[in-house]
Amino acid sequence: MLGFLKGDPKKKLQKEYEKKLSEAMHAQRNGDIRTYSTLTEEAEAIYAKLQALGKK
């Protein structure tokens, strides 16, 4: 009945994914390659979750 109050998990994951990619880009531009690779790896994990939600 109150399903419209729940947030969309895809939308939340998409926003988190884009934020991680943006942070990774800024780290790369600043020359911090280690942080860039860590953030990129986290973004890929979020993307995998997003793809799994899309297939359901």
Side-chain angles (χ1 to χ4, degrees):
M1 182 173 164
L2 295 176
F4 66 92
L5 294 176
K6 291 183 181 180
D8 185 16
K10 281 185 181 180
K11 197 174 205 180
K12 182 179 178 183
L13 281 175
Q14 182 68 32
K15 189 176 274 191
E16 189 176 339
Y17 173 69
E18 290 172 3
K19 182 181 176 190
K20 287 287 182 186
L21 285 180
S22 177
E23 290 174 1
M25 179 191 64
H26 290 296
Q28 184 182 28
R29 285 184 178 174
N30 290 330
D32 191 358
I33 302 303
R34 184 168 292 165
T35 303
Y36 164 74
S37 62
T38 303
L39 290 170
T40 303
E41 185 177 333
E42 291 173 8
E44 288 176 359
I46 293 170
Y47 185 73
K49 290 179 188 177
L50 197 59
Q51 291 297 317
L53 276 176
K55 290 187 178 185
K56 282 188 176 180

